Amino acid sequence: MRLDKFLIKTLQLTKQQRKRLLADHQILIDGHQALSLRQNIDSELQKITVRGQQIISPTEKYYMMYKPEGVICAVKDDQKQTVIDLLRAEDQIEGLYPIGRLDRYTSGLLLLTNNGPLGYRLLHPDHHVEKQYRVKVNGDINEETVALFARGVIIDQDTLCKPAKLIILRHSPTESEALVTLSEGKYHQVKKMFLSAGVKVIELVRLTFGEFSLDQMLKPGEYRELNQAERQLIKQYLSDDIYI
Ligand code: URA
């Protein structure tokens, strides 16, 4: 949540009061002066004090889901089942949305939150958040494919992708499996990159997103709240200086 929204919600402060408190260095976040009223904060992860008094509002939620195939990454859809539809009714709280998109038939790690700008920050190109996928393709891949991915694949005729790391797990003329790690998120990027290498993706599972890893205990369609250690990881994305 943005600091200004937080101050309105918890202390009902006017714009003038908020600006004055900031200018007077009366707002501290984990002991440091707040930098901007547009800063993204979480009072469960950070200690927010205003004029020396700690302010708490435990409203931010973070979930990790094993997105199954066939479900779309949207909040609402008239025809197709969305990732939000998979949540228990009591967890379908207002403002919850998936951070980033996986294609309908891609499965794997998906984070969901109601912390407004957090998703934009995690997806912001300046953050270079790495994502690793396990990929199955319908043909052979080899060291040339590894080198091609390392140089940067061209997709959509003239779009050069950033270098990607490819680790081949097994390969044969009819089916191969690999791990691919990207630091950007273009539309259908993994599928297009493999098509540029002459093979079609037949299965795609996201295993990691930044420092988050898909929980081995989750089955497709299951989800859980982020644990304490994972919530600490979120903190780094709340305090840096990209304001959206
Ligand atoms: N690349 C794709 O092609 N699809 C996804 O869902 C994610 C990355």
Side-chain angles (χ1 to χ4, degrees), residues 3-14:
L3 178 58
D4 50 5
K5 296 242 168 64
F6 176 78
L7 294 174
I8 296 168
K9 200 167 158 197
T10 53
L11 300 173
Q12 291 79 46
L13 297 177
T14 64

Side-chain angles (χ1 to χ4, degrees), residues 67 101-107 131 133 182 184-193 201 204 206:
K67 177 197 172 295
R101 279 169 193 271
L102 290 176
D103 295 339
R104 188 171 176 193
Y105 290 100
T106 299
S107 63
K131 297 138 205 151
Y133 299 84
L182 314 181
E184 54 186 350
K186 301 186 195 304
Y187 188 54
H188 296 324
Q189 184 166 349
V190 175
K191 290 175 186 155
K192 288 177 179 174
M193 284 169 67
V201 171
L204 187 56
R206 184 158 70 187

Side-chain angles (χ1 to χ4, degrees), residues 95-122:
L96 204 64
Y97 67 99
I99 299 181
R101 279 169 193 271
L102 290 176
D103 295 339
R104 188 171 176 193
Y105 290 100
T106 299
S107 63
L109 173 59
L110 186 70
L111 299 178
L112 300 118
T113 185
N114 63 343
N115 187 343
L118 178 68
Y120 298 102
R121 288 160 162 270
L122 276 160

